[in-house]
Amino acid sequence: MSFEVFEKLEAKVQQAIDTITLLQMEIEELKEKNNQLAQEAQQAHGNREALERENAQLREQQSAWHERLQTLLGKMDEVN
């Protein structure tokens, strides 16, 4: 009788070990995915900052062109 109890206990311990092993593997996979996502988020943040800088530069250029155009239109009005 005690041998059967020991076998059941051994089976439960082995099942617990298997479960722990699988959970550890899952944790490692999730850590890797988390690191990958963190890198992607950091890269996206950098890309966003670059796009914001480019947008600001383009707005400045647009403003400069607008001013030049207004100046030229003003000169044309003076000629007419």
Side-chain angles (χ1 to χ4, degrees):
M1 185 93 161
S2 65
F3 185 72
E4 290 174 7
V5 172
F6 179 72
E7 284 181 339
K8 287 181 182 180
L9 179 61
E10 185 179 19
K12 287 184 180 184
V13 168
Q14 185 60 46
Q15 184 180 9
I17 290 172
D18 293 344
T19 302
I20 290 170
T21 303
L22 288 174
L23 289 173
Q24 286 174 335
M25 290 171 54
E26 186 177 343
I27 287 170
E28 287 303 313
E29 288 175 7
L30 291 172
K31 283 181 181 179
E32 289 175 14
K33 184 162 187 152
N34 188 35
N35 288 337
Q36 179 184 2
L37 290 172
Q39 289 175 353
E40 288 175 9
Q42 187 175 9
Q43 184 179 12
H45 181 71
N47 290 344
R48 179 180 177 203
E49 287 178 346
L51 288 172
E52 286 174 347
R53 284 191 302 272
E54 182 181 1
N55 188 17
Q57 289 174 348
L58 290 171
R59 287 182 185 271
E60 289 175 14
Q61 289 176 3
Q62 180 186 22
S63 178
W65 278 104
H66 182 74
E67 289 178 26
R68 289 177 70 185
L69 180 60
Q70 290 298 327
T71 302
L72 288 173
L73 289 174
K75 287 181 181 180
M76 287 178 66
D77 285 341
E78 290 174 8
V79 171
N80 291 335

